Amino acid sequence: MSEKSIGKEMLEKLSYKKRNVYEEATSDEIKAIYDYAVGYMKYLDDAKTEREAVVASIKLATNCGYTEYKLGDKVKVGDKKYFNNHGKSLILFRIGENDIEKEGIRILASHIDSPRLDLKQVPMYEDAGMGFLKTHYYGGIKKYQWTAIPLALHGVMIKKNGESVEIVIGEDDSDPVFYINDLLPHLGARQAAEPLGTAISGETLNILIGGLPYNDEEVTEKIKLTALSYLYEKYGVTEEDFLSAELSLVPAYKARNIGFDGALIGAYGHDDRVCSYPALTALLDCQSNERTSMVILADKEEVGSMGLSGMQSDALVDIIDEIAIALGKNPKVVRHHSKCLSADVNAAYDPNFADVYEKRNSALLSCGAVISKYTGARGKSGTSDASAEFVGFVRRLFDENGVIWQSAELGKVDAGGGGTVAMFIANHNIETVDLGVPVISMHAPYEVVSKADVYSTYKACAAFIK
Ligand code: MN
Ligand code: MN
């Protein structure tokens, strides 16, 4: 019997079920998904800090005809511009022909900072035959995950004369890497009995940087002097230059395929480059001249979005206002009619830790971009909560454009929670909802995503701004 029963027909018509992108994809679509991941994985390797993400993004934008915009510059229809905010965040926009007072600006906002270990300003010392650097962690990390893995040093030092020195050590195969010591299990009984959260303290996240004493009987801290003389020879910097430096330790891992089938990607910093790259490439690939659209690559999301490169800065509103005024429009009306996808990652349901998830309302790996109507914690505290109307609008848009997507919140009620930049954008009277990629082991030194979800997020971003 080939005909469906009435009950089965009714079930298909009336009930909702998540769809798996890979299950529904043709072989051509799977090839497109895998091909797109190649560019993303290169971006991951090129852009491990927000500064590097700004540089890598400008390079991609310049190749697509984008030129630099400085506050105060005039803009006109057809312009494709980027605003480099102190080298740490980036706002890109293209001005379309449509009336922005009527339809506003379509905005994709993501962040390019990731959890890591920053150096303190007076970091260097030696003890017991080893040279070390002191760190202060940045963002929400599980400290035990950062010991006994290879680390790379990234950042800038500003010398006394104002000259800026860029440092990247540990990414090239011929480079040395750095390391955080951990206790051997033979002596680790007491440590093993500690809760995970306190077994490794912040002040033990010290970076091992060497062991060769400087060859001079007259000096005391010989290993430290070897390190300082290396830095002086290679970069012309002194210990005092650490005072005006931003140096970070990030995992010295490259992005790699995960698994026999290569369906997944392992990398440092998926959160939130896995949304930044789709948002950026959707804008750069956009061929329509109708809509005015914008991509924000923000800094400081992992520590609260404060400061001039964070999403709470006035930079976004300043630029929207400048665009509106240049086109002879009322900026307040433009913002009122603008729409934003706050593109940030979500926690993928993990059967290994099922007890913190509520499966029906969790993001499933490979089931597409995730819309989170609200985020927050303890009774939706700290969320902007997108309206049903706006979610309905996005839903129609995705359905019309063949985007497979899912709806989820982060974990069980009261299991924890988290926020995104959505509320800071919505505070400007811009309709905003969260959209992003499900991540396994979020905030770990090596996180995992599905290529299918990355591509689905690209399609979602492209549909939103076209
Ligand atoms: Mn994030
Ligand atoms: Mn995060």
Side-chain angles (χ1 to χ4, degrees), residues 111 271-272 301-302 344-345 443:
H111 68 92
D271 177 9
D272 186 32
E301 193 280 338
E302 296 295 355
D344 204 346
V345 298
H443 283 207

PDB file of all heavy atoms in Angstrom, residues 111 271-272 301-302 344-345 443, ligand 1:
ATOM      1  N   HIS A 111      30.632  38.774  16.991  1.00  0.00           N
ATOM      2  CA  HIS A 111      31.832  39.268  17.687  1.00  0.00           C
ATOM      3  C   HIS A 111      33.067  38.479  17.283  1.00  0.00           C
ATOM      4  O   HIS A 111      32.975  37.317  16.865  1.00  0.00           O
ATOM      5  CB  HIS A 111      31.637  39.305  19.204  1.00  0.00           C
ATOM      6  CG  HIS A 111      31.509  37.966  19.869  1.00  0.00           C
ATOM      7  ND1 HIS A 111      32.590  37.285  20.381  1.00  0.00           N
ATOM      8  CD2 HIS A 111      30.431  37.183  20.125  1.00  0.00           C
ATOM      9  CE1 HIS A 111      32.170  36.155  20.933  1.00  0.00           C
ATOM     10  NE2 HIS A 111      30.874  36.054  20.777  1.00  0.00           N
ATOM     11  N   ASP A 271      33.443  30.375  18.474  1.00  0.00           N
ATOM     12  CA  ASP A 271      32.673  31.436  19.142  1.00  0.00           C
ATOM     13  C   ASP A 271      33.490  32.725  19.069  1.00  0.00           C
ATOM     14  O   ASP A 271      34.415  32.889  19.847  1.00  0.00           O
ATOM     15  CB  ASP A 271      32.399  31.029  20.593  1.00  0.00           C
ATOM     16  CG  ASP A 271      31.657  32.096  21.383  1.00  0.00           C
ATOM     17  OD1 ASP A 271      31.204  33.085  20.774  1.00  0.00           O
ATOM     18  OD2 ASP A 271      31.537  31.940  22.614  1.00  0.00           O
ATOM     19  N   ASP A 272      33.273  33.638  18.155  1.00  0.00           N
ATOM     20  CA  ASP A 272      32.094  33.719  17.337  1.00  0.00           C
ATOM     21  C   ASP A 272      32.457  33.952  15.882  1.00  0.00           C
ATOM     22  O   ASP A 272      31.701  34.512  15.122  1.00  0.00           O
ATOM     23  CB  ASP A 272      31.201  34.832  17.892  1.00  0.00           C
ATOM     24  CG  ASP A 272      29.853  34.931  17.201  1.00  0.00           C
ATOM     25  OD1 ASP A 272      29.333  33.898  16.770  1.00  0.00           O
ATOM     26  OD2 ASP A 272      29.336  36.055  17.071  1.00  0.00           O
ATOM     27  N   GLU A 301      32.810  41.113  23.508  1.00  0.00           N
ATOM     28  CA  GLU A 301      31.566  40.432  23.870  1.00  0.00           C
ATOM     29  C   GLU A 301      31.794  39.475  25.029  1.00  0.00           C
ATOM     30  O   GLU A 301      30.957  39.328  25.909  1.00  0.00           O
ATOM     31  CB  GLU A 301      30.999  39.672  22.663  1.00  0.00           C
ATOM     32  CG  GLU A 301      29.547  39.195  22.838  1.00  0.00           C
ATOM     33  CD  GLU A 301      29.388  37.923  23.661  1.00  0.00           C
ATOM     34  OE1 GLU A 301      30.362  37.141  23.768  1.00  0.00           O
ATOM     35  OE2 GLU A 301      28.293  37.703  24.210  1.00  0.00           O
ATOM     36  N   GLU A 302      32.960  38.834  25.036  1.00  0.00           N
ATOM     37  CA  GLU A 302      33.227  37.815  26.052  1.00  0.00           C
ATOM     38  C   GLU A 302      33.414  38.400  27.450  1.00  0.00           C
ATOM     39  O   GLU A 302      33.480  37.662  28.433  1.00  0.00           O
ATOM     40  CB  GLU A 302      34.451  36.976  25.657  1.00  0.00           C
ATOM     41  CG  GLU A 302      34.270  36.164  24.375  1.00  0.00           C
ATOM     42  CD  GLU A 302      33.201  35.086  24.487  1.00  0.00           C
ATOM     43  OE1 GLU A 302      32.653  34.894  25.581  1.00  0.00           O
ATOM     44  OE2 GLU A 302      32.916  34.453  23.451  1.00  0.00           O
ATOM     45  N   ASP A 344      25.375  34.976  17.011  1.00  0.00           N
ATOM     46  CA  ASP A 344      26.287  34.415  18.014  1.00  0.00           C
ATOM     47  C   ASP A 344      25.948  32.937  18.221  1.00  0.00           C
ATOM     48  O   ASP A 344      24.848  32.491  17.919  1.00  0.00           O
ATOM     49  CB  ASP A 344      26.169  35.191  19.334  1.00  0.00           C
ATOM     50  CG  ASP A 344      27.429  35.068  20.185  1.00  0.00           C
ATOM     51  OD1 ASP A 344      28.270  34.201  19.890  1.00  0.00           O
ATOM     52  OD2 ASP A 344      27.560  35.844  21.149  1.00  0.00           O
ATOM     53  N   VAL A 345      26.907  32.223  18.756  1.00  0.00           N
ATOM     54  CA  VAL A 345      26.764  30.775  18.851  1.00  0.00           C
ATOM     55  C   VAL A 345      25.778  30.360  19.944  1.00  0.00           C
ATOM     56  O   VAL A 345      25.422  31.158  20.820  1.00  0.00           O
ATOM     57  CB  VAL A 345      28.125  30.115  19.127  1.00  0.00           C
ATOM     58  CG1 VAL A 345      29.087  30.377  17.988  1.00  0.00           C
ATOM     59  CG2 VAL A 345      28.699  30.594  20.461  1.00  0.00           C
ATOM     60  N   HIS A 443      33.729  27.501  24.313  1.00  0.00           N
ATOM     61  CA  HIS A 443      34.739  28.160  25.155  1.00  0.00           C
ATOM     62  C   HIS A 443      35.915  27.249  25.517  1.00  0.00           C
ATOM     63  O   HIS A 443      36.786  27.652  26.288  1.00  0.00           O
ATOM     64  CB  HIS A 443      34.135  28.761  26.426  1.00  0.00           C
ATOM     65  CG  HIS A 443      33.412  30.043  26.182  1.00  0.00           C
ATOM     66  ND1 HIS A 443      33.258  31.016  27.153  1.00  0.00           N
ATOM     67  CD2 HIS A 443      32.817  30.538  25.076  1.00  0.00           C
ATOM     68  CE1 HIS A 443      32.576  32.031  26.655  1.00  0.00           C
ATOM     69  NE2 HIS A 443      32.297  31.773  25.399  1.00  0.00           N
TER      70      HIS A 443
HETATM   71 MN    MN B   1      29.707  34.403  21.496  1.00  0.00          MN
END
